Amino acid sequence: MALLPRFNNVSLEEKKVPLTWSHSIDNLDWEELSALFEACPPMGNKRACDLRLAFGGSMFRCFVRDSGKLVGVARALADGVYIAYIGDIAVLPAYRGIGLGKAIVAELLRLCAGHKKIILYSVPGSEAFYRQFGFRGMRTAMAIFENQDVAMQRGYVDTA
């Protein structure tokens, strides 16, 4: 993949990070993917069997490996025309700060190009990072969470 953005005036190429990119779930180690999410708080515990279903039902996926080790991931649900929804963006803490998250988001935006709207779901506090791509807060977005009280405590939804 040629898309390697600059981050803090240092690019992934200049850092000499030997990364391989994939969009396929063929031969994916679902337990490794689960471990990646667990290592990326506040992503939390995501069971391998649930990830297989979620990523299998996603139109676009992005997996990044360093010497075979999974270090970054994201996915997008999309209908091919009207809406794409980007979520589950995770980068191992040791790989943050070199532009990898930025490159992953840029790749998903490339894959989602042509949709009439692209919606992103992220953890509270990361809004400034996504604004650089053109994302803006929505006034009409609403959600029902499995555990609404925890979602309120973590700042995902309003209390009223």
Side-chain angles (χ1 to χ4, degrees):
M1 179 178 144
L3 181 65
L4 296 174
R6 298 185 71 74
F7 186 79
N8 292 337
N9 294 321
V10 178
S11 71
L12 292 174
E13 289 172 331
E14 291 165 341
K15 284 267 190 188
K16 304 290 188 227
V17 178
L19 302 176
T20 57
W21 294 71
S22 170
H23 300 106
S24 174
I25 58 172
D26 295 342
N27 303 314
L28 183 66
D29 181 339
W30 298 102
E31 293 296 336
E32 182 183 25
L33 181 59
S34 177
L36 183 142
F37 280 111
E38 192 169 334
C40 297
M43 297 301 289
N45 298 329
K46 295 180 183 269
R47 299 179 326 165
C49 61
D50 293 336
L51 289 168
R52 180 187 298 264
L53 183 62
F55 276 77
S58 298
M59 183 177 277
F60 305 116
R61 299 166 290 259
C62 187
F63 303 99
V64 184
R65 295 182 174 280
D66 181 1
S67 303
K69 176 185 174 183
L70 190 61
V71 298
V73 65
R75 68 187 181 100
L77 295 166
D79 62 18
V81 178
Y82 296 107
I83 190 166
Y85 156 84
I86 296 175
D88 286 334
I89 302 164
V91 174
L92 286 178
Y95 289 80
R96 294 179 185 161
I98 60 168
L100 181 55
K102 188 182 266 191
I104 290 171
V105 173
E107 174 64 1
L108 278 179
L109 288 173
R110 184 189 70 77
L111 293 169
C112 293
H115 285 84
K116 298 202 182 297
K117 64 180 160 270
I118 300 171
I119 295 174
L120 174 102
Y121 176 73
S122 68
V123 298
S126 61
E127 296 86 356
F129 175 76
Y130 295 108
R131 281 191 189 101
Q132 67 186 309
F133 297 98
F135 287 101
R136 298 294 177 258
M138 293 178 62
R139 294 186 182 139
T140 59
M142 302 177 90
I144 297 173
F145 284 79
E146 180 180 50
N147 189 328
Q148 207 72 332
D149 290 335
V150 171
M152 282 187 253
Q153 291 170 2
R154 293 183 178 166
Y156 287 99
V157 294
D158 295 334
T159 56

